[in-house]
Amino acid sequence: MSTFDSELILRMALPGPLRRIFDYLPPSGCTSAQLQPGVRLRVPFGRRKLVGVLLDVADHSELALQKLRRAEALLDSQPILPQELLALMHWASRYYQHSIGEVILGSLPTLLRQGQAARAKTESCWQLSPAGWKTDPGSLKRAPKQAALLQILQQYPAGLDASSLNQQQLNWRSSMARLVLKGWVTIRKREFTLTSPAEADKPKAVAPALNPHQQAVLDAISTGLDHYQCYLLNGITGSGKTEVYLQVIQKVLTAGRQVLVLAPEIGLTPQLMQRFRERLSQQINGPIALLHSGLSDQARLDNWLACAAGRAGVLIGTRSALFTPLPKLGLIILDEEHDLSFKQQDSFRYNARDLAIVRARKAGIPIILGSATPSLESLHNVAQQRSQMLLLPERAGNAQRPQLHLLDIRHQKLEQGLSAQLLTRVRQHLDDKGQVLLFINRRGYAPVLMCHECGWHARCLRCDAHMTVHHGQQQLRCHHCGSQRPVNRGCPDCNSGNLHFMGAGTERVEDTLTARFPHIRILRIDRDSTRRKGSLDQKLAEIQRGAPVILVGTQMLAKGHHFPNVTLVGMLDADYGLFSADFRASERMGQLLLQVAGRAGRAERAGEVLIQTHQPDNPLLHFLLRHDYPGFSQSLLKERAEAQLPPYSHLALLRAESPEAEAAMQFLQQAKQQAALIQPQLLAFGPLPAPMERRAGRFRAQLLFQHHQRGELQQWLARLMPPLENMKSARKVRWSIDVDPMEMY
Ligand code: ADP
Ligand code: ZN
Ligand code: ZN
């Protein structure tokens, strides 16, 4: 025992991959009352300084006190993370076998992670004083600008901020200064909120009367707002799920609580945000906050703080918004729950859907998972009575369901992926003033550049993959590592000039259609054509205007958009999902197909969906043709049960990669031996080289663990991690563990 044994020990989470907690001594002059879990401290680490989060205060350390370093500064007077959120992060760190430091620090807005003060920006707001209210603008004949300002301010009792004033009047500042000098206007500093006072004053759109199905769903959820329950809201596209969300949210807000709405890639669906803004009365419980990757660091911090302080009523965000403090949280909604983007695929590989359920359960509040095409996992949870299914089987309003048909393209001559039948229908729909959406799951011009003389084809130098032709016929790009180079003029092997572009991507389909329909506007929507800020919005606005156009696009088109004038949807290649190595491929294909089909005929006009396939007899496709997603998913669940694949078992994938050819395999071999020591009965498959072994110059391999019991898998994974971290072969590789992996590469 040292003489300092009464000294407090700070147990800190620090950024970095090590799965451990770090001990420090308190900064000098700090009282124990200030050292609450959830505050940030700056600490020395090697020769660097790090910002960490205090987890706990202990009275002893396993290290000798003399070895402990002293934290340098306390950064917060109040915890920035509440206990229940810290508890959720601990849970996540244990379940996903990930460093608690990365889980916690990674969840914070960048500016907080860097140690900035957790204070919201303030802004000025100009408001009439009592004397100002008594002044008649008409009396200011010789100062027309001041009179106009006075008149504007009289319409906004809550006052106006600079950005709203900029919209109302040019060069208002000097006139405003005069009004302030006269004592008619006061300046108030207020904390940044996400909605300007002017917008908060706007009248809200009226909610439509719900149809009986929607009403039943709303009633079911409304009776259980005071306890945990997981609902799977299974409603076909256009059945009015969003409308139900809005009305449940209104109830929760009225009760004085906050709502968390998680959606995939909301940057891509500005319509959702728009609808929320128009409908939710922000007077009740503060404005709507927004968190997604498209925001600046300052905007992220402001939104985060508005949530943490309880000033925002609703938070709409992408997966990482799950970790935002919401002290009055009363409901979680996760829209499009089947969507893959809820799973983070690198670093901290968590599933926001699964963690959202954990958060709701810990908070004792309901959670609604919504989808037209629920994941097999969620359907299985309903079957196990872990969650309750609510159905919306019909389209809301007057919209009808689209008709689905297969186009058998065996033995057919295709023009860049388009069959003659499909092209004929495209023309007919355009002639009838409809819009057409063509879906192809591949961007770029052509997926392969090949020499017709010797068979050479353009490959990536760093990956086991073909280069995709882009920019018309100008550039080769690797979709796996991002390498690019100019398209070869001649064959590098045989010098022949006879190079062919094989297959078609969105660019090439666009070219073909432009040649075929010279008077029709063709809008391509994929990651390349929408890179520039605002270009997607511009295209979406053009579609909304309703004139006949052809949309050509990738998955981006399947995500939550409303295209009321689209009457024909064509799927160019439905077959790819039927032959993949990934056991989830057919589930994804079905979901994508119905999601894309759901874009057709959402207004009064019935839609038609044409699916090109080489497998017209495939039973899975026939379920989908009949809109029988339940039949489709049951048949897949049966296959999963027979193969003992998730959701009937649980997987964890250990991945490793290295620039050296054998290093990844060697590490995984040893990992497998190590695992067998810990638990001989454990099923371990592999190690095997990854389906694409070399990517970005690294050789990759994987080892799959399987267990029928989630809890047991977690326990022995936890015992496996420390020896793996210490293995000598681990130093030569980059490795990671992916619990409940969603993609098997
Ligand atoms: P989903 O989220 O299931 O795709 P939405 O809530 O977006 O469905 O509804 C689809 C369309 O139907 C929207 O244009 C919406 O305004 C409209 N709608 C929803 N519910 C009703 C209703 N009860 N009465 C009339 N129109 C409705
Ligand atoms: Zn050649
Ligand atoms: Zn590459």
Side-chain angles (χ1 to χ4, degrees):
M1 276 284 164
S2 80
T3 50
F4 303 105
D5 61 355
S6 62
E7 180 117 61
L8 296 175
I9 308 294
L10 307 184
R11 314 209 65 217
M12 303 276 304
L14 296 183
L18 293 178
R19 292 173 180 79
R20 49 167 288 204
I21 289 172
F22 298 86
D23 289 357
Y24 281 88
L25 299 173
S28 35
C30 242
T31 65
S32 64
Q34 290 174 303
L35 296 169
Q36 297 176 51
V39 297
R40 290 172 302 158
L41 292 121
R42 192 186 309 282
V43 299
F45 189 85
R47 271 180 281 163
R48 294 181 297 152
K49 315 267 180 242
L50 294 179
V51 173
V53 170
L54 179 62
L55 296 175
D56 204 356
V57 178
D59 53 11
H60 71 281
S61 171
E62 280 163 24
L63 295 174
L65 276 183
Q66 302 86 304
K67 285 198 169 169
L68 292 184
R69 299 177 77 178
R70 198 168 279 288
E72 287 182 358
L74 178 66
L75 301 178
D76 299 301
S77 55
Q78 293 292 322
I80 58 163
L81 290 170
Q83 271 310 310
E84 56 277 16
L85 210 50
L86 284 175
L88 177 74
M89 290 168 176
H90 264 295
W91 191 97
S93 147
R94 282 193 300 266
Y95 183 78
Y96 292 106
Q97 311 298 334
H98 199 76
S99 134
I100 182 74
E102 269 186 9
V103 173
I104 293 182
L105 275 300
S107 82
L108 295 178
T110 310
L111 295 177
L112 292 184
R113 198 157 61 221
Q114 292 169 348
Q116 258 199 32
R119 250 198 319 270
K121 201 170 63 184
T122 58
E123 57 187 8
S124 300
C125 184
W126 287 266
Q127 204 170 9
L128 287 180
S129 67
W133 279 109
K134 285 191 206 125
T135 308
D136 172 13
S139 68
L140 289 170
K141 292 230 167 46
R142 306 184 48 195
K145 275 190 172 172
Q146 291 177 37
L149 260 185
L150 212 54
Q151 212 157 17
I152 291 169
L153 287 170
Q154 289 183 349
Q155 293 163 35
Y156 294 97
L160 286 172
D161 57 6
S163 71
S164 319
L165 282 161
N166 287 337
Q167 286 170 21
Q168 302 271 353
Q169 195 179 33
L170 283 176
N171 303 325
W172 50 273
R173 285 190 188 265
S174 63
S175 320
M176 188 69 88
R178 296 268 153 74
L179 294 179
V180 173
L181 272 179
K182 289 176 180 164
W184 294 343
V185 169
T186 55
I187 305 176
R188 183 163 57 90
K189 288 275 176 201
R190 63 180 192 105
E191 282 189 335
F192 170 85
T193 59
L194 314 135
T195 329
S196 64
E199 194 179 339
D201 278 342
K202 259 195 215 153
K204 297 294 149 190
V206 191
L210 296 180
N211 67 34
H213 292 295
Q214 288 173 311
Q215 190 62 49
V217 168
L218 180 67
D219 291 346
I221 299 172
S222 307
T223 52
L225 289 177
D226 59 347
H227 58 87
Y228 167 74
Q229 171 66 44
C230 181
Y231 299 100
L232 179 61
L233 178 54
N234 182 1
I236 62 170
T237 36
S239 60
K241 293 184 293 296
T242 312
E243 188 54 49
V244 171
Y245 300 153
L246 285 165
Q247 301 206 16
V248 185
I249 291 173
Q250 197 65 261
K251 280 180 194 274
V252 177
L253 291 180
T254 310
R257 305 191 67 174
Q258 294 172 297
V259 180
L260 171 61
V261 180
L262 297 174
E265 297 162 55
I266 39 182
L268 298 181
T269 51
Q271 290 159 342
L272 181 74
M273 185 65 189
Q274 187 61 27
R275 225 167 132 191
F276 274 58
R277 281 233 158 112
E278 283 166 6
R279 279 287 297 286
L280 294 175
S281 165
Q282 288 145 15
Q283 307 295 19
I284 294 182
N285 209 11
I288 299 172
L290 190 62
L291 282 174
H292 62 82
S293 58
L295 300 180
S296 70
D297 286 347
Q298 185 63 48
R300 278 185 83 82
L301 177 61
D302 290 333
N303 280 273
W304 192 91
L305 289 170
C307 294
R311 278 185 285 121
V314 179
L315 168 59
I316 307 180
T318 42
R319 61 170 180 257
S320 63
L322 171 72
F323 298 107
T324 310
L326 291 156
K328 297 181 287 185
L329 186 61
L331 171 71
I332 301 177
I333 293 171
L334 193 132
D335 193 27
E336 311 287 4
E337 68 86 29
H338 62 278
D339 198 284
L340 203 56
S341 70
F342 288 116
K343 176 77 197 292
Q344 178 143 308
Q345 309 276 21
D346 56 7
S347 182
F348 173 28
R349 293 171 164 79
Y350 66 98
N351 190 323
R353 176 192 63 209
D354 299 346
L355 277 183
I357 295 174
V358 177
R359 184 166 182 183
R361 199 174 53 216
K362 284 179 181 291
I365 57 169
I367 174 168
I368 308 172
L369 308 179
S371 176
T373 52
S375 63
L376 299 186
E377 281 82 2
S378 292
L379 289 170
H380 183 64
N381 281 339
V382 171
Q384 301 284 303
Q385 300 184 340
R386 281 193 287 264
S387 67
Q388 183 185 342
M389 176 110 88
L390 300 170
L391 288 172
L392 290 178
E394 285 167 15
R395 285 197 159 188
N398 299 320
Q400 295 163 30
R401 271 190 179 200
Q403 295 271 330
L404 275 67
H405 301 283
L406 293 183
L407 292 181
D408 180 358
I409 51 170
R410 287 175 300 180
H411 319 298
Q412 300 266 329
K413 197 169 166 307
L414 299 181
E415 190 178 340
Q416 309 315 341
L418 298 155
S419 65
Q421 287 158 288
L422 181 58
L423 284 167
T424 307
R425 290 303 291 155
V426 169
R427 181 167 304 282
Q428 284 163 353
H429 277 262
L430 293 171
D431 288 346
D432 291 343
K433 302 277 176 275
Q435 295 180 328
V436 173
L437 187 165
L438 297 177
F439 175 85
I440 173 163
N441 210 5
R442 193 187 287 139
R443 65 200 167 85
Y445 184 81
V448 181
L449 174 67
M450 187 189 279
C451 171
H452 203 50
E453 301 299 326
C454 75
W456 169 88
H457 42 240
R459 302 184 62 83
C460 178
L461 302 176
R462 308 173 68 217
C463 307
D464 295 330
H466 286 119
M467 299 290 272
T468 302
V469 184
H470 272 263
H471 283 307
Q473 309 176 353
Q474 304 294 310
Q475 197 187 53
L476 291 173
R477 238 191 261 164
C478 173
H479 286 188
H480 306 282
C481 72
S483 311
Q484 45 193 52
R485 59 178 196 255
V487 163
N488 307 59
R489 298 195 170 241
C491 172
D493 279 3
C494 75
N495 283 326
S496 148
N498 198 357
L499 296 185
H500 276 215
F501 303 109
M502 315 257 298
T506 46
E507 283 183 27
R508 195 174 200 178
V509 172
E510 180 189 16
D511 277 7
T512 311
L513 292 166
T514 309
R516 271 248 168 185
F517 302 96
H519 305 298
I520 294 289
R521 182 103 161 106
I522 317 279
L523 296 169
R524 177 160 63 89
I525 297 192
D526 57 27
R527 242 193 298 154
D528 303 314
S529 75
T530 55
R531 201 151 300 189
R532 211 164 32 80
K533 211 175 166 185
S535 62
L536 177 64
D537 292 350
Q538 213 177 335
K539 288 184 180 186
L540 293 176
E542 189 167 345
I543 300 165
Q544 298 304 330
R545 283 202 285 280
V549 292
I550 304 177
L551 313 175
V552 180
T554 56
Q555 279 102 308
M556 273 179 88
L557 279 175
K559 305 240 163 142
H561 300 289
H562 285 273
F563 300 132
N565 282 311
V566 167
T567 54
L568 173 66
V569 170
M571 303 259 316
L572 269 51
D573 51 357
D575 295 343
Y576 70 94
L578 301 170
F579 300 103
S580 171
D582 192 326
F583 69 87
R584 285 193 173 87
S586 6
E587 177 187 0
R588 299 242 171 78
M589 181 274 296
Q591 289 164 342
L592 188 64
L593 196 149
L594 290 183
Q595 293 285 343
V596 176
R599 304 304 122 205
R602 285 166 69 93
E604 325 292 81
R605 311 170 72 170
E608 178 181 22
V609 179
L610 298 176
I611 302 158
Q612 299 193 145
T613 177
H614 288 91
Q615 303 218 334
D617 302 322
N618 187 297
L620 287 176
L621 284 178
H622 282 267
F623 281 117
L624 300 172
L625 283 190
R626 297 192 298 269
H627 293 278
D628 184 5
Y629 188 77
F632 172 80
S633 47
Q634 284 315 314
S635 130
L636 289 180
L637 276 168
K638 206 162 142 248
E639 285 177 15
R640 297 271 186 94
E642 279 159 12
Q644 278 302 295
L645 284 167
Y648 299 94
S649 71
H650 303 282
L651 302 178
L653 195 58
L654 186 63
R655 296 191 180 90
E657 56 176 58
S658 164
E660 282 173 55
E662 289 303 316
M665 287 292 280
Q666 273 166 14
F667 166 76
L668 294 177
Q669 273 306 349
Q670 289 182 16
K672 187 174 183 174
Q673 287 160 10
Q674 195 50 254
L677 290 178
I678 293 173
Q679 163 58 285
Q681 265 109 57
L682 184 77
L683 282 176
F685 302 95
L688 289 172
M692 180 196 302
E693 182 174 10
R694 205 164 51 101
R695 192 170 77 183
R698 292 169 166 274
F699 293 85
R700 309 173 318 140
Q702 56 195 32
L703 175 66
L704 183 69
F705 297 116
Q706 183 179 28
H707 204 285
H708 59 276
Q709 256 265 340
R710 196 188 281 277
E712 274 185 44
L713 181 63
Q714 187 199 338
Q715 274 171 26
W716 69 255
L717 282 178
R719 286 170 57 203
L720 182 60
M721 291 303 113
L724 286 197
E725 281 180 345
N726 292 324
M727 248 158 49
K728 221 165 128 197
S729 57
R731 280 180 229 148
K732 288 199 205 147
V733 300
R734 238 194 246 163
W735 65 273
S736 64
I737 182 84
D738 188 350
V739 178
D740 303 332
M742 293 300 287
E743 287 184 305
M744 310 299 281
Y745 57 78

